[in-house]
Amino acid sequence: MKYSIIVPVYNRPEEVRELLDSLTQQTVKAFEVLIVEDGSSVRCDDIVDRYRHQLTIQYFFKPNAGPGPARNFGYSNATGEYLIVFDSDCIIPPDYLKAVDKALAIYGWDAWGGPDRAHTTFTLVQRAMGYTMASVWTTGGIRGGKKHVGSFQPRSFNMGISRKVYTQTQGFHFDRYAEDIEFSIRMKNAGYKVGLIPEAYVYHKRRTSFSQFYHQVANFGKGRALVGRAHPGEVKITHWLPTIFVLGTLSIPLWALVSPILSYAALGGWLLYLSVIFLHALWQNKNLGVAFLAVPAALIQLSGYGLGFLREWSKSYIRK
């Protein structure tokens, strides 16, 4: 097999069904699928069995240890020349592997990532969250723009590596929380050619509610602080922006104690920023519902990430 597709799963059988169904539609057929059930109480082995006549597929069950070790388990059992990991809540477009084939032939990447999109069948909330996670107005633009084609940190919802990369790095070192970013940094530091393939996108469902989304992005913020602890210098001003936004928002009422004019100016800037998000989301999605929901989604993303990052970053100084 040229490609081995590895999917860690934890209590998401219905999502696995949708993912496997999309893989049956791939225009390139030279791939195997490895489903790694990471200690789920609601297993998906029955779902996997339904696709054995359509896909070359293996199912594994292991004790829960987190997505990093689950992917490494898949790597160690894969036979492909290239190893691809998807999250279980992804739907893969038919030409995904075709796009990868083309990019590998042109650029010879050792590893790659691809962007994510929201499918038109997703709920309005999911589409709004998808917008904020990819929008430059919420710092999501660092996840996959054309300018990152030759310099990119792949995310584990859509990441591919060559067998050579796995053999020499041994895959993920973190169990969870930014384990993909930490892995990407090590690949870059080792001198591998890592790039973005814009055409190799996936439809990524993410969470189904704003409360779940908050916990997810808070973990992203925590993970970035953990990465900074493991790799000094890898926390940039961009990663501080959500925290700065949260602190700036909380300080708006305090400006009134200094000057009502400054308070009104700060509030006006805050509302202008949210208006830009609304209009940009409307322009991109052509849907008023998604545009309206993008505003609370942005606030949740920035506050969750910012506070998660600040809490974990502060622990470094408490320990000292």
Side-chain angles (χ1 to χ4, degrees):
M1 291 294 178
K2 184 172 183 179
Y3 300 107
S4 293
I5 295 174
I6 296 149
V7 184
V9 183
Y10 184 71
N11 291 334
R12 294 185 175 185
E14 187 57 29
E15 291 179 351
V16 170
R17 183 193 65 76
E18 292 180 324
L19 171 62
L20 294 179
D21 191 59
S22 71
L23 289 175
T24 65
Q25 308 301 316
Q26 284 298 301
T27 54
V28 172
K29 303 296 184 181
F31 68 93
E32 64 174 354
V33 183
L34 294 86
I35 301 295
V36 183
E37 190 101 62
D38 190 34
S40 299
S41 57
V42 183
R43 297 174 58 151
C44 66
D45 44 340
D46 288 344
I47 300 292
V48 172
D49 286 341
R50 300 176 195 175
Y51 289 88
R52 293 191 182 279
H53 67 290
Q54 296 173 277
L55 298 167
T56 301
I57 191 167
Q58 298 183 69
Y59 172 86
F60 302 92
F61 185 92
K62 60 180 289 299
N64 180 261
R71 296 182 190 109
N72 287 341
F73 182 92
Y75 285 158
S76 67
N77 286 278
T79 63
E81 179 184 356
Y82 293 96
L83 313 175
I84 303 171
V85 292
F86 294 132
D87 280 354
S88 61
D89 58 349
C90 289
I91 296 173
I92 316 304
D95 287 335
Y96 177 91
L97 291 177
K98 182 179 178 181
V100 171
D101 269 349
K102 181 179 179 180
L104 291 178
I106 296 172
Y107 300 107
W109 300 125
D110 296 309
W112 72 89
D116 58 347
R117 299 182 182 180
H119 197 274
T120 55
T121 61
F122 292 178
T123 67
L124 294 180
V125 170
Q126 287 173 323
R127 291 167 66 185
M129 292 186 294
Y131 162 78
T132 62
M133 286 299 293
S135 173
V136 69
W137 292 105
T138 55
T139 74
I142 63 175
R143 298 170 59 85
K146 293 257 182 198
K147 65 180 180 180
H148 297 291
V149 167
S151 177
F152 185 62
Q153 291 182 349
R155 303 304 202 268
S156 55
F157 64 82
N158 181 6
M159 172 190 284
I161 64 173
S162 67
R163 179 163 293 279
K164 176 182 69 173
V165 170
Y166 168 65
T167 301
Q168 296 182 4
T169 65
Q170 290 302 293
F172 295 87
H173 285 185
F174 285 9
D175 293 348
R176 65 188 82 237
Y177 307 139
E179 71 281 358
D180 46 3
I181 297 174
E182 193 280 332
F183 187 16
S184 293
I185 291 170
R186 282 189 290 112
M187 285 192 283
K188 179 182 177 182
N189 291 343
Y192 292 114
K193 294 177 61 178
V194 184
L196 167 71
I197 305 177
E199 298 77 16
Y201 62 88
V202 300
Y203 296 113
H204 195 188
K205 279 191 172 181
R206 302 193 179 281
R207 297 299 182 255
T208 57
S209 69
F210 280 147
S211 62
Q212 291 177 335
F213 186 49
Y214 177 86
H215 290 297
Q216 182 184 43
V217 293
N219 287 334
F220 289 164
K222 175 181 179 180
R224 174 53 74 170
L226 292 171
V227 166
R229 196 176 300 158
H231 300 278
E234 288 296 335
V235 172
K236 313 295 184 183
I237 184 62
T238 305
H239 306 117
W240 276 98
L241 290 179
T243 302
I244 293 170
F245 174 83
V246 172
L247 297 178
T249 299
L250 294 175
S251 71
I252 291 176
L254 300 179
W255 283 108
L257 301 177
V258 179
S259 167
I261 294 177
L262 289 177
S263 179
Y264 289 136
L267 180 60
W270 188 80
L271 293 173
L272 176 62
Y273 172 66
L274 296 182
S275 298
V276 169
I277 290 175
F278 170 81
L279 293 173
H280 189 249
L282 180 62
W283 177 73
Q284 278 204 342
N285 291 274
K286 309 296 188 294
N287 186 292
L288 269 176
V290 173
F292 277 114
L293 290 169
V295 174
L299 292 172
I300 290 168
Q301 178 182 325
L302 292 166
S303 60
Y305 187 105
L307 293 174
F309 175 86
L310 186 61
R311 279 194 295 265
E312 191 60 38
W313 178 82
S314 300
K315 290 180 183 178
S316 299
Y317 293 90
I318 293 173
R319 289 167 180 163
K320 292 178 181 179

